[in-house]
Amino acid sequence: MSPESVDVLILAGGLGTRLREAVPDRPKVLAPVLGEPYLFHLLRYLEAQSFRRVVLLLGHRAEEVMATVGTTFGSLEVAYSVESSPLGTGGAVRHALPQVQNDCFLVLNGDSFCAGSYSQLISPTQPRILVTSVADTSRYGSVQVDSSLRVRSFSEKNGKSTPGLINAGVYGLQRSQVTLLPASGPASLEQHLLPVLANRGELLAVHGGRFIDIGTPASYREAQTFFHEVADGVAV
């Protein structure tokens, strides 16, 4: 399958509590980075990789995001799925399925970025996860991958500063996998779906490049420099 035929779901409904000190007046995905909303950097990266349709999964302050982005961004068509109460990452994706046009799609965390060729995550049958190497996994938890690139397990945050692989927040999923989650109510991709797929031996890791998130004031400040150094559509 080609990127042109695959929808990209972006999780963009978080409360942004930790970031509120630095960005008190707008949703997290609209936090300014290099003079424009952070979300625009993600959308431009997807456009450069030939994706053509995104669905923004919204909740908190959804109207502000919709008013800022509209129904198109460059060559991207933009649709929306809005939750009336917090559903978590898994619940938000499950809630958005009626908006998805194909059985295979990508899911991105809207508050992080990892350089890479996202088309490698597209598969009509096999779930895939983008992972990347970091010097300190203590903030994120780690991912254990075998020699065949199958994900074997996920480790929770343990406070120990060690290098390793982390979940970079980009997934290639199929509708049949997401429907394993409850049809309504909160659920987590990280806790309720990805470990199940890994335990079945179905989840394949794809290696990405440089990674950043904007979840804290410190990492948000780093993003201002980071996006000067990452060329749109190029893995570095």
Side-chain angles (χ1 to χ4, degrees):
M1 299 180 68
S2 65
E4 293 90 343
S5 63
V6 175
D7 290 349
V8 182
L9 280 59
I10 301 179
L11 290 156
L15 297 176
T17 305
R18 293 177 300 167
L19 190 60
R20 202 163 292 161
E21 170 191 328
V23 186
D25 61 341
R26 64 195 71 192
K28 180 163 53 174
V29 294
L30 300 185
V33 173
L34 301 181
E36 64 180 0
Y38 172 75
L39 179 60
F40 286 12
H41 294 277
L42 296 186
L43 295 175
R44 192 174 295 113
Y45 197 77
L46 293 169
E47 182 186 23
Q49 295 201 23
S50 299
F51 293 95
R52 291 295 174 257
R53 187 172 187 270
V54 301
V55 183
L56 298 183
L57 280 50
L58 305 179
H60 179 63
R61 302 176 76 164
E63 297 81 4
E64 295 174 52
V65 179
M66 296 168 72
T68 300
V69 180
T71 58
T72 60
F73 182 92
S75 59
L76 293 171
E77 174 190 347
V78 182
Y80 296 93
S81 173
V82 181
E83 60 191 28
S84 57
S85 60
L87 294 175
T89 54
V93 173
R94 184 75 161 87
H95 179 70
L97 286 183
Q99 297 280 358
V100 179
Q101 296 183 345
N102 295 293
D103 287 336
C104 174
F105 49 91
L106 297 191
V107 177
L108 271 67
N109 285 343
D111 62 355
S112 63
F113 172 88
C114 187
S117 176
Y118 291 178
S119 62
Q120 294 181 45
L121 294 158
I122 299 171
S123 168
T125 58
Q126 184 177 51
R128 299 181 178 185
I129 179 174
L130 195 68
V131 299
T132 194
S133 298
V134 297
D136 181 3
T137 63
S138 61
R139 181 177 161 196
Y140 307 101
S142 60
V143 182
Q144 287 70 51
V145 177
D146 67 17
S147 59
S148 64
L149 294 181
R150 292 191 182 276
V151 175
R152 291 308 179 190
S153 63
F154 295 88
S155 297
E156 296 293 329
K157 306 171 189 178
N158 59 15
K160 296 181 180 180
S161 179
T162 56
L165 292 175
I166 64 168
N167 173 359
V170 186
Y171 319 108
L173 297 173
Q174 291 77 45
R175 189 181 300 268
S176 60
Q177 292 146 9
V178 175
T179 53
L180 296 173
L181 296 169
S184 61
S188 167
L189 291 176
E190 298 81 2
Q191 296 179 22
H192 303 134
L193 181 60
L194 298 178
V196 171
L197 299 176
N199 289 339
R200 292 179 174 183
E202 298 174 359
L203 187 60
L204 186 69
V206 174
H207 283 272
R210 295 188 62 190
F211 171 85
I212 197 167
D213 72 83
I214 62 165
T216 69
S219 59
Y220 170 61
R221 288 191 293 270
E222 292 172 9
Q224 311 294 327
T225 300
F226 180 92
F227 282 98
H228 271 305
E229 302 171 352
V230 175
D232 288 342
V234 180
V236 295

